[in-house]
Amino acid sequence: MRIVIAGGHGQIALRLERLLAARGDEAAGLIRKPEQADELRQLGAEPIVLDLESASVEEVAQRLEGADAAVFAAGAGPGSGVDRKETVDKAAAVLFADAAVRAGVRRFVIVSSMGADPAHEGDEVFDVYLRAKGEADAYVRGLGALDWTILRPGQLTNDAGTGLVRLEAHTGRGPVPRDDVAAVLAELVDTPATAGLTLELISGNAPVSVAVKSVAGN
């Protein structure tokens, strides 16, 4: 499979690219800075320099041509302000989804956030973030040309992955290593029977492949 990942230099994306390359898939990561390219190459992934905050739908669609799946793993990051929550967490996700439709890439997985809700209230940066992620999710759900899956991890940690997770429509809050989020994404991309599902993810007791299979087709 060829999988194109938005936010290709993000912490989850780098882990995902390594996993995909190791299993023989063709991973390509969209990055903003040319100097990030070598790090992707070292993981076995193809770097594609393209800024989703300034690119057109046509430009993104060109980079998605021939892909079997698209993963939106971009994020403005914890140090960013309100404006970039709108331009990255919402607008870039919408752009990437529209580009996938235009390029004919049906399989689409988006990394969201637990608590994402377009009706979330409040004016703090994190409130704006949850609202932006919720609006992006709602937009993707409305695109009938995509076989979408929305993944909403709990509190992200840099602990070593255990390969044991809880993946359900509603898990309740909890931590999850970025390693395990990437492993679940790799499995979801390969499991189109999870299309149409919004799933929460925290650490748990089920091996990743078992957890994904248990929700597939639900």
Side-chain angles (χ1 to χ4, degrees):
M1 292 179 70
R2 176 173 172 81
I3 299 115
V4 178
I5 303 157
H9 193 257
Q11 294 189 67
I12 291 172
L14 290 170
R15 290 165 167 84
L16 175 59
E17 287 153 2
R18 182 187 293 112
L19 290 174
L20 294 174
R23 76 180 190 189
D25 283 326
E26 192 180 330
L30 299 183
I31 55 176
R32 286 192 303 132
K33 300 176 182 177
E35 58 267 28
Q36 297 168 339
D38 281 347
E39 191 169 355
L40 270 68
R41 292 192 190 99
Q42 289 167 9
L43 298 174
E46 173 195 346
I48 300 173
V49 180
L50 185 70
D51 187 351
L52 290 176
E53 289 180 90
S54 59
S56 67
V57 174
E58 291 79 8
E59 288 171 325
V60 182
Q62 286 173 5
R63 307 317 197 274
L64 283 165
E65 287 290 344
D68 299 291
V71 177
F72 185 83
S80 60
V82 167
D83 289 349
R84 295 201 72 227
K85 304 306 182 192
E86 290 290 334
T87 59
V88 179
D89 294 298
K90 178 185 174 183
V94 167
L95 174 71
F96 196 60
D98 284 342
V101 172
R102 186 163 300 195
V105 181
R106 288 202 64 91
R107 188 71 182 114
F108 190 91
V109 180
I110 182 169
V111 182
S112 183
S113 175
M114 200 171 286
D117 182 352
H120 182 86
E121 296 182 352
D123 299 317
E124 298 297 323
V125 172
F126 193 65
D127 296 322
V128 176
Y129 168 75
L130 291 177
R131 196 156 53 242
K133 295 296 279 186
E135 289 169 348
D137 293 352
Y139 186 84
V140 168
R141 286 194 191 103
L143 295 175
L146 294 182
D147 295 327
W148 53 265
T149 303
I150 296 169
L151 182 66
R152 292 178 165 175
Q155 178 192 351
L156 298 170
T157 75
N158 286 325
D159 296 338
T162 65
L164 299 173
V165 299
R166 183 178 173 192
L167 181 70
E168 299 169 16
H170 301 287
T171 61
R173 295 191 176 275
V176 61
R178 288 179 172 86
D179 287 350
D180 290 335
V181 177
V184 168
L185 287 170
E187 198 76 22
L188 287 174
V189 162
D190 218 18
T191 312
T194 59
L197 298 180
T198 300
L199 300 166
E200 294 183 349
L201 173 68
I202 58 174
S203 292
N205 299 312
V208 167
S209 59
V210 173
V212 172
K213 286 184 176 67
S214 70
V215 297
N218 291 349

Short mmCIF file of all heavy atoms in Angstrom, two decimals, residues 125-160:
data_model
loop_
_atom_site.label_atom_id
_atom_site.label_comp_id
_atom_site.label_asym_id
_atom_site.label_seq_id
_atom_site.Cartn_x
_atom_site.Cartn_y
_atom_site.Cartn_z
N VAL A 125 -7.29 28.42 24.84
CA VAL A 125 -6.69 27.80 23.65
C VAL A 125 -7.13 26.35 23.52
O VAL A 125 -7.46 25.88 22.42
CB VAL A 125 -5.15 27.91 23.71
CG1 VAL A 125 -4.52 27.10 22.58
CG2 VAL A 125 -4.71 29.36 23.62
N PHE A 126 -7.16 25.62 24.63
CA PHE A 126 -7.54 24.20 24.55
C PHE A 126 -9.01 24.04 24.17
O PHE A 126 -9.39 23.09 23.47
CB PHE A 126 -7.25 23.48 25.88
CG PHE A 126 -7.34 21.98 25.76
CD1 PHE A 126 -6.44 21.28 24.97
CD2 PHE A 126 -8.32 21.27 26.43
CE1 PHE A 126 -6.51 19.89 24.85
CE2 PHE A 126 -8.41 19.89 26.33
CZ PHE A 126 -7.50 19.20 25.53
N ASP A 127 -9.86 24.99 24.59
CA ASP A 127 -11.27 24.96 24.18
C ASP A 127 -11.37 25.12 22.66
O ASP A 127 -12.13 24.41 22.00
CB ASP A 127 -12.05 26.08 24.86
CG ASP A 127 -12.10 25.93 26.37
OD1 ASP A 127 -12.22 24.79 26.85
OD2 ASP A 127 -12.00 26.96 27.07
N VAL A 128 -10.62 26.07 22.13
CA VAL A 128 -10.62 26.32 20.68
C VAL A 128 -10.11 25.08 19.95
O VAL A 128 -10.63 24.70 18.89
CB VAL A 128 -9.76 27.55 20.34
CG1 VAL A 128 -9.67 27.75 18.83
CG2 VAL A 128 -10.35 28.79 21.00
N TYR A 129 -9.09 24.43 20.51
CA TYR A 129 -8.52 23.21 19.92
C TYR A 129 -9.58 22.11 19.83
O TYR A 129 -9.77 21.49 18.77
CB TYR A 129 -7.34 22.75 20.76
CG TYR A 129 -6.84 21.38 20.45
CD1 TYR A 129 -6.09 21.13 19.30
CD2 TYR A 129 -7.10 20.31 21.30
CE1 TYR A 129 -5.62 19.86 19.01
CE2 TYR A 129 -6.63 19.04 21.03
CZ TYR A 129 -5.89 18.82 19.88
OH TYR A 129 -5.43 17.55 19.59
N LEU A 130 -10.29 21.86 20.93
CA LEU A 130 -11.30 20.79 20.94
C LEU A 130 -12.43 21.11 19.97
O LEU A 130 -12.97 20.21 19.31
CB LEU A 130 -11.84 20.58 22.35
CG LEU A 130 -10.87 19.97 23.36
CD1 LEU A 130 -11.53 19.89 24.74
CD2 LEU A 130 -10.40 18.58 22.92
N ARG A 131 -12.78 22.38 19.86
CA ARG A 131 -13.82 22.78 18.93
C ARG A 131 -13.35 22.61 17.49
O ARG A 131 -14.08 22.10 16.64
CB ARG A 131 -14.22 24.24 19.21
CG ARG A 131 -15.53 24.66 18.60
CD ARG A 131 -16.15 25.83 19.35
NE ARG A 131 -15.25 26.97 19.51
CZ ARG A 131 -14.85 27.44 20.71
NH1 ARG A 131 -15.26 26.87 21.83
NH2 ARG A 131 -14.05 28.48 20.78
N ALA A 132 -12.11 23.01 17.21
CA ALA A 132 -11.55 22.88 15.86
C ALA A 132 -11.46 21.42 15.44
O ALA A 132 -11.83 21.06 14.31
CB ALA A 132 -10.17 23.53 15.80
N LYS A 133 -10.99 20.56 16.35
CA LYS A 133 -10.91 19.13 16.04
C LYS A 133 -12.30 18.55 15.82
O LYS A 133 -12.52 17.74 14.91
CB LYS A 133 -10.20 18.38 17.16
CG LYS A 133 -8.74 18.74 17.36
CD LYS A 133 -7.87 18.40 16.16
CE LYS A 133 -7.45 16.97 16.08
NZ LYS A 133 -6.49 16.72 14.97
N GLY A 134 -13.26 18.98 16.63
CA GLY A 134 -14.63 18.49 16.47
C GLY A 134 -15.24 18.93 15.16
O GLY A 134 -15.95 18.16 14.50
N GLU A 135 -14.95 20.16 14.74
CA GLU A 135 -15.48 20.66 13.46
C GLU A 135 -14.85 19.91 12.29
O GLU A 135 -15.51 19.59 11.30
CB GLU A 135 -15.23 22.16 13.36
CG GLU A 135 -16.12 22.98 14.29
CD GLU A 135 -15.70 24.43 14.40
OE1 GLU A 135 -14.59 24.77 13.93
OE2 GLU A 135 -16.48 25.22 14.95
N ALA A 136 -13.55 19.61 12.40
CA ALA A 136 -12.88 18.83 11.35
C ALA A 136 -13.48 17.43 11.26
O ALA A 136 -13.75 16.93 10.16
CB ALA A 136 -11.38 18.76 11.63
N ASP A 137 -13.70 16.81 12.41
CA ASP A 137 -14.29 15.47 12.42
C ASP A 137 -15.67 15.48 11.77
O ASP A 137 -16.02 14.59 10.97
CB ASP A 137 -14.42 14.95 13.85
CG ASP A 137 -13.07 14.69 14.51
OD1 ASP A 137 -12.04 14.77 13.83
OD2 ASP A 137 -13.06 14.41 15.73
N ALA A 138 -16.48 16.47 12.12
CA ALA A 138 -17.84 16.57 11.58
C ALA A 138 -17.79 16.74 10.06
O ALA A 138 -18.62 16.16 9.33
CB ALA A 138 -18.58 17.73 12.23
N TYR A 139 -16.84 17.51 9.58
CA TYR A 139 -16.72 17.71 8.14
C TYR A 139 -16.38 16.41 7.43
O TYR A 139 -16.98 16.06 6.42
CB TYR A 139 -15.65 18.77 7.85
CG TYR A 139 -15.55 19.14 6.39
CD1 TYR A 139 -16.41 20.09 5.84
CD2 TYR A 139 -14.64 18.51 5.55
CE1 TYR A 139 -16.36 20.41 4.49
CE2 TYR A 139 -14.56 18.83 4.20
CZ TYR A 139 -15.42 19.78 3.68
OH TYR A 139 -15.37 20.08 2.34
N VAL A 140 -15.41 15.69 7.99
CA VAL A 140 -14.99 14.42 7.38
C VAL A 140 -16.15 13.42 7.37
O VAL A 140 -16.37 12.71 6.38
CB VAL A 140 -13.77 13.84 8.14
CG1 VAL A 140 -13.50 12.41 7.72
CG2 VAL A 140 -12.54 14.71 7.88
N ARG A 141 -16.91 13.39 8.46
CA ARG A 141 -18.06 12.48 8.51
C ARG A 141 -19.08 12.75 7.40
O ARG A 141 -19.80 11.86 6.99
CB ARG A 141 -18.77 12.60 9.86
CG ARG A 141 -18.03 11.99 11.02
CD ARG A 141 -18.98 11.86 12.21
NE ARG A 141 -18.26 11.52 13.43
CZ ARG A 141 -17.96 12.38 14.39
NH1 ARG A 141 -18.33 13.65 14.29
NH2 ARG A 141 -17.33 11.98 15.47
N GLY A 142 -19.12 13.98 6.95
CA GLY A 142 -20.09 14.36 5.93
C GLY A 142 -19.65 14.05 4.51
O GLY A 142 -20.42 14.31 3.57
N LEU A 143 -18.46 13.53 4.32
CA LEU A 143 -17.95 13.26 2.98
C LEU A 143 -18.21 11.80 2.59
O LEU A 143 -17.49 10.89 3.00
CB LEU A 143 -16.44 13.57 2.92
CG LEU A 143 -16.06 15.04 3.12
CD1 LEU A 143 -14.55 15.20 3.15
CD2 LEU A 143 -16.67 15.91 2.02
N GLY A 144 -19.24 11.61 1.79
CA GLY A 144 -19.61 10.25 1.40
C GLY A 144 -18.60 9.57 0.50
O GLY A 144 -18.62 8.35 0.34
N ALA A 145 -17.68 10.34 -0.09
CA ALA A 145 -16.67 9.76 -0.97
C ALA A 145 -15.49 9.18 -0.20
O ALA A 145 -14.57 8.63 -0.82
CB ALA A 145 -16.17 10.80 -1.97
N LEU A 146 -15.49 9.32 1.13
CA LEU A 146 -14.39 8.79 1.93
C LEU A 146 -14.86 7.62 2.81
O LEU A 146 -15.94 7.67 3.38
CB LEU A 146 -13.82 9.88 2.85
CG LEU A 146 -13.13 11.07 2.19
CD1 LEU A 146 -12.60 12.02 3.25
CD2 LEU A 146 -12.01 10.63 1.26
N ASP A 147 -14.01 6.62 2.91
CA ASP A 147 -14.18 5.56 3.90
C ASP A 147 -13.34 5.98 5.11
O ASP A 147 -12.19 5.57 5.26
CB ASP A 147 -13.70 4.21 3.35
CG ASP A 147 -14.55 3.74 2.17
OD1 ASP A 147 -15.75 4.04 2.16
OD2 ASP A 147 -13.99 3.09 1.27
N TRP A 148 -13.94 6.80 5.96
CA TRP A 148 -13.18 7.46 7.03
C TRP A 148 -13.26 6.69 8.34
O TRP A 148 -14.23 6.00 8.63
CB TRP A 148 -13.69 8.89 7.25
CG TRP A 148 -15.17 8.98 7.49
CD1 TRP A 148 -16.15 9.24 6.55
CD2 TRP A 148 -15.87 8.76 8.73
NE1 TRP A 148 -17.39 9.22 7.13
CE2 TRP A 148 -17.25 8.93 8.46
CE3 TRP A 148 -15.48 8.46 10.02
CZ2 TRP A 148 -18.23 8.79 9.46
CZ3 TRP A 148 -16.43 8.31 11.01
CH2 TRP A 148 -17.79 8.48 10.73
N THR A 149 -12.19 6.81 9.11
CA THR A 149 -12.17 6.37 10.50
C THR A 149 -11.56 7.50 11.30
O THR A 149 -10.53 8.07 10.92
CB THR A 149 -11.33 5.09 10.70
OG1 THR A 149 -11.84 4.05 9.85
CG2 THR A 149 -11.39 4.64 12.15
N ILE A 150 -12.19 7.86 12.42
CA ILE A 150 -11.69 8.92 13.30
C ILE A 150 -11.14 8.27 14.56
O ILE A 150 -11.84 7.51 15.24
CB ILE A 150 -12.81 9.91 13.64
CG1 ILE A 150 -13.29 10.63 12.37
CG2 ILE A 150 -12.33 10.92 14.69
CD1 ILE A 150 -14.56 11.43 12.55
N LEU A 151 -9.87 8.55 14.87
CA LEU A 151 -9.23 8.00 16.07
C LEU A 151 -9.01 9.11 17.08
O LEU A 151 -8.36 10.12 16.76
CB LEU A 151 -7.90 7.34 15.69
CG LEU A 151 -7.16 6.67 16.86
CD1 LEU A 151 -7.97 5.48 17.38
CD2 LEU A 151 -5.76 6.25 16.44
N ARG A 152 -9.50 8.90 18.29
CA ARG A 152 -9.40 9.92 19.34
C ARG A 152 -8.60 9.35 20.52
O ARG A 152 -9.17 8.73 21.42
CB ARG A 152 -10.79 10.35 19.79
CG ARG A 152 -11.55 11.12 18.72
CD ARG A 152 -12.93 11.51 19.17
NE ARG A 152 -13.50 12.54 18.29
CZ ARG A 152 -14.74 13.01 18.38
NH1 ARG A 152 -15.54 12.56 19.34
NH2 ARG A 152 -15.17 13.93 17.54
N PRO A 153 -7.28 9.55 20.51
CA PRO A 153 -6.46 9.05 21.61
C PRO A 153 -6.69 9.85 22.89
O PRO A 153 -7.07 11.01 22.86
CB PRO A 153 -5.02 9.23 21.11
CG PRO A 153 -5.13 9.61 19.67
CD PRO A 153 -6.47 10.22 19.49
N GLY A 154 -6.37 9.20 24.00
CA GLY A 154 -6.38 9.89 25.29
C GLY A 154 -5.11 10.69 25.47
O GLY A 154 -4.50 11.16 24.49
N GLN A 155 -4.66 10.83 26.70
CA GLN A 155 -3.47 11.63 27.00
C GLN A 155 -2.23 10.96 26.40
O GLN A 155 -1.87 9.84 26.76
CB GLN A 155 -3.30 11.77 28.52
CG GLN A 155 -2.07 12.54 28.93
CD GLN A 155 -1.80 12.40 30.42
OE1 GLN A 155 -2.61 11.86 31.16
NE2 GLN A 155 -0.64 12.88 30.85
N LEU A 156 -1.56 11.67 25.49
CA LEU A 156 -0.41 11.10 24.79
C LEU A 156 0.83 11.13 25.67
O LEU A 156 1.13 12.14 26.31
CB LEU A 156 -0.15 11.87 23.50
CG LEU A 156 -1.28 11.84 22.47
CD1 LEU A 156 -1.00 12.83 21.35
CD2 LEU A 156 -1.46 10.43 21.90
N THR A 157 1.57 10.01 25.69
CA THR A 157 2.82 9.96 26.45
C THR A 157 3.94 9.45 25.53
O THR A 157 3.68 8.86 24.48
CB THR A 157 2.71 9.01 27.66
OG1 THR A 157 2.74 7.64 27.21
CG2 THR A 157 1.42 9.25 28.43
N ASN A 158 5.17 9.67 25.98
CA ASN A 158 6.33 9.15 25.26
C ASN A 158 6.86 7.87 25.89
O ASN A 158 7.99 7.46 25.60
CB ASN A 158 7.43 10.21 25.19
CG ASN A 158 7.09 11.32 24.20
OD1 ASN A 158 6.47 11.07 23.17
ND2 ASN A 158 7.46 12.54 24.53
N ASP A 159 6.06 7.25 26.74
CA ASP A 159 6.45 5.95 27.29
C ASP A 159 6.58 4.94 26.16
O ASP A 159 5.94 5.07 25.11
CB ASP A 159 5.40 5.45 28.29
CG ASP A 159 5.27 6.36 29.50
OD1 ASP A 159 6.24 7.09 29.79
OD2 ASP A 159 4.21 6.33 30.15
N ALA A 160 7.40 3.92 26.37
CA ALA A 160 7.51 2.86 25.38
C ALA A 160 6.17 2.17 25.20
O ALA A 160 5.44 1.93 26.17
CB ALA A 160 8.56 1.85 25.82
#
